[in-house]
Amino acid sequence: MDTEKIAQLIQSYLTLRARVLSSLQDKSLNKKELLQTVALSPVQYANRKEKVGNWTIDETISLAERLGLGSKAATDIKRLSSLFQFLPEQISRDLLRQAGLDRKKMVLRQRNYNLWKADELHRLATVCSMVGPMHSSKRI
């Protein structure tokens, strides 16, 4: 896996996420359907409306499926943190540092992909796309 492919994977998810959030603005689902789909309380939903960055990956995937927008991008993002093991150590470390992520955060995100924040994904996609294709010795 090279950095360009990682950037594409992230960008595909972010595009899907934007489509889901746009559909919510268009009221494609009523509030009751939405709350049932993602199992949120009304208070949690109000929080997500106010701070759209708080939507988790699982919530986004559930909504995408419910809205008929589901795609491979939604499930691929779940393995993002593990993809860094396929990059040379120095490149991985540099990318994470440039994106403002440390090893501790990456370990947490590897244990629970739902901890990824949209702003982190944006930064990581930007950094990975700027680096360009770098091939590692391992293949997925």
Side-chain angles (χ1 to χ4, degrees):
M1 173 73 57
D2 63 44
T3 57
E4 193 171 273
K5 288 181 182 171
I6 291 173
Q8 289 171 355
L9 179 142
I10 296 169
Q11 195 55 52
S12 292
Y13 169 75
L14 292 172
T15 299
L16 175 67
R17 185 179 186 281
R19 289 176 56 206
V20 166
L21 294 176
S22 176
S23 292
L24 294 180
Q25 293 295 324
D26 296 341
K27 307 266 190 246
S28 296
L29 291 176
N30 68 40
K31 186 176 175 180
K32 183 179 177 182
E33 289 175 312
L34 189 144
L35 292 176
Q36 289 175 340
T37 300
V38 291
L40 291 175
S41 72
V43 172
Q44 290 170 312
Y45 173 65
N47 176 275
R48 303 292 193 282
K49 272 184 80 170
E50 186 177 319
K51 297 178 184 175
V52 295
N54 288 344
W55 287 102
T56 67
I57 290 173
D58 279 343
E59 291 166 350
T60 303
I61 291 170
S62 294
L63 288 169
E65 289 171 355
R66 178 72 168 87
L67 293 165
L69 302 173
S71 77
K72 189 173 180 328
T75 53
D76 282 351
I77 199 70
K78 291 179 179 183
R79 61 190 183 102
L80 174 63
S81 57
S82 64
L83 295 177
F84 282 86
Q85 71 186 351
F86 295 97
L87 295 173
E89 180 68 25
Q90 186 61 44
I91 292 170
S92 175
R93 193 173 321 129
D94 289 347
L95 289 172
L96 296 176
R97 182 183 46 77
Q98 290 174 31
L101 296 164
D102 58 25
R103 286 283 175 198
K104 182 179 178 182
K105 285 183 180 180
M106 286 302 289
V107 167
L108 291 172
R109 279 142 187 78
Q110 194 163 16
R111 290 183 186 154
N112 182 358
Y113 59 85
N114 256 332
L115 295 176
W116 281 109
K117 303 294 181 205
D119 63 323
E120 293 172 337
L121 293 172
H122 281 286
R123 285 194 314 266
L124 196 53
T126 300
V127 169
C128 285
S129 63
M130 289 186 333
V131 171
M134 290 188 182
H135 300 282
S136 67
S137 57
K138 297 181 182 179
R139 294 280 180 223
I140 298 179

